[in-house]
Amino acid sequence: MELWYTEKHTNTVNFSIQVKRHFYSESSPFQQIDFFESKEFGTFFTLDGLMMVNEKDEFVYHDMITHVPMATHPDIKRVLVIGGGDGGTVRELTRYKHIEKIDMVEIDEMVVRACQKYLPITANQLTDPRVTLYFEDGLKFIQGKVAEYDLILVDSTDPIGPGEGLFSMAFYTDCFKALTETGILINQHESPYYPNYAREMKRSHDKIKKIFPISKVYQFHMPTYPSGHWLFGFASKSLDPIKDFKKEKWEAFGLETKYYNTDLHTGCFALPTFVKKLLEE
Amino acid sequence: MELWYTEKHTNTVNFSIQVKRHFYSESSPFQQIDFFESKEFGTFFTLDGLMMVNEKDEFVYHDMITHVPMATHPDIKRVLVIGGGDGGTVRELTRYKHIEKIDMVEIDEMVVRACQKYLPITANQLTDPRVTLYFEDGLKFIQGKVAEYDLILVDSTDPIGPGEGLFSMAFYTDCFKALTETGILINQHESPYYPNYAREMKRSHDKIKKIFPISKVYQFHMPTYPSGHWLFGFASKSLDPIKDFKKEKWEAFGLETKYYNTDLHTGCFALPTFVKKLLEE
């Protein structure tokens, strides 16, 4: 018998992974959660049938969401992670000894508990004493907060289902208020290639650039996401990821990384012309 | 009825495209050639069941194989293209008015004739008066040539089947001899992500760096190739793609490009750490 997991990247494009077993399948109050074991990607899980995290390429996403802002502003001490139930973003943050406080707000506790059980490669630092887990709606959590965080990482699903509000004008405005004067917001920024994703990329960027004086986009290779061409948004009140890049200071941390490095820090902001045009439209 | 084209990216990973019709299927003396029409990618063709070119993302590959060397050495006048039967690489080269001679050596005339008929988007400049088509083995064509070309573009299939010899030490050595003193060799360099492709990437790089004093690798996002993370090799007798980059001179050509731009020129050489390590091993 062969068992295949298939994800529709578009209505007429499928990506399929042969799985050894489908060992977890639960409906939380928010979404459908499934865990699989595969030869090529190791353990992976999906939310509402979309690939979230797998053991083979999670390092790409988690390196890029974390180290780009940390190398722009190496003095970050208070961090808010919204979403990120797999724990991989928190894992990378905990590698910085000088970070004092990491609040993680994940709406779906079942995702976190399942990842702690089945995906320790990403979830293994959620018990770090600097980490506080809040199982609530990030939209509500952030309301009314003023200058509490140096960095907000929005590690969300696509803007359909529980992640939808995390792509709204109201949410980005609340993030702006919750950040300190040198604060940085990184958000999951979808992809430029397939039209459905490109539309969300543009919508997100259009909103953020109205609120933040500095708003850039950077890219990386994420083979298991649709098209493999994926983006994060970098927004800040005052810091530019290239002009304010603290290369030597970041290198002095001595962190070993598998994807991120200081050449790539600059390189990843160099976008193809068609992406720049889509973002400027 | 639904008709799906499926390509195995690994033994346990499939990429599938729903097609409107499969309208050409012929065996040449060298390989199996198939043409399809699809909603997402327009017309595409496969060789021995592997995606070669489609109307949606061909611009990525053809921009990156052509404009990176042309912006490093804008005075290139004599170019050899090996492979490239779809004509897209030649199309980009013909946009440079000062190029005097473009020899294209493609082993399989049937691929060229089919692309001229069904894929004019890439094949439409093969009749440019500066272009000479040779339907023969690139390996033999290049033997004995001395300082005849300023640029050699190896636009080949994977190193299995008719493209195999184009990844050999003997061939790279012949390329070195066939190039002028400032000559550049660009070659299809596979991908770092799935092990089968990463092995060929390393083998190719190991050979080229033994022959050429300058040997670099650059990356791009090619959604329809396995993992979407694809590479070209840049090798040269004397020019470095970053130090010798002629940004202003290239911009003065006034070429509109959809993927390549002068920021990306530098950015694409910034490789993820895991890729750098694989190449250095």
Side-chain angles (χ1 to χ4, degrees), chain A residues 4 8-19 39-41 54 56-57 59-60 193-195 219-224 227-230 256-261 263-268 270-277, chain B residues 4 8-19 39-41 54 56-57 59-60 193-195 219-224 227-230 256-261 263-268 270-277:
Chain A
W4 288 78
K8 293 193 94 60
H9 282 182
T10 78
N11 284 333
T12 61
V13 179
N14 283 352
F15 181 68
S16 305
I17 301 168
Q18 190 178 354
V19 296
K39 184 178 170 214
E40 190 65 44
F41 301 104
N54 68 74
K56 187 177 167 84
D57 70 11
F59 72 98
V60 179
Y193 190 69
Y194 292 123
Q219 66 183 4
F220 50 102
H221 283 92
M222 192 68 191
T224 54
S227 85
H229 192 170
W230 215 258
E256 271 192 44
T257 48
K258 202 168 154 192
Y259 192 87
Y260 177 83
N261 57 60
D263 287 338
L264 193 73
H265 181 106
T266 311
C268 70
L271 302 176
T273 304
F274 82 100
V275 182
K276 292 209 281 187
K277 283 196 177 165
Chain B
W4 288 80
K8 293 193 93 58
H9 283 182
T10 77
N11 283 334
T12 61
V13 179
N14 284 353
F15 182 69
S16 305
I17 301 168
Q18 191 179 352
V19 296
K39 183 177 170 215
E40 191 66 43
F41 302 104
N54 68 73
K56 187 176 167 83
D57 70 10
F59 72 97
V60 179
Y193 190 69
Y194 293 123
Q219 66 183 4
F220 50 102
H221 283 92
M222 192 69 190
T224 54
S227 85
H229 192 169
W230 216 258
E256 270 192 45
T257 47
K258 203 169 154 190
Y259 193 87
Y260 177 83
N261 58 60
D263 287 338
L264 193 74
H265 181 106
T266 311
C268 70
L271 302 175
T273 304
F274 83 100
V275 182
K276 292 208 282 187
K277 283 196 178 165

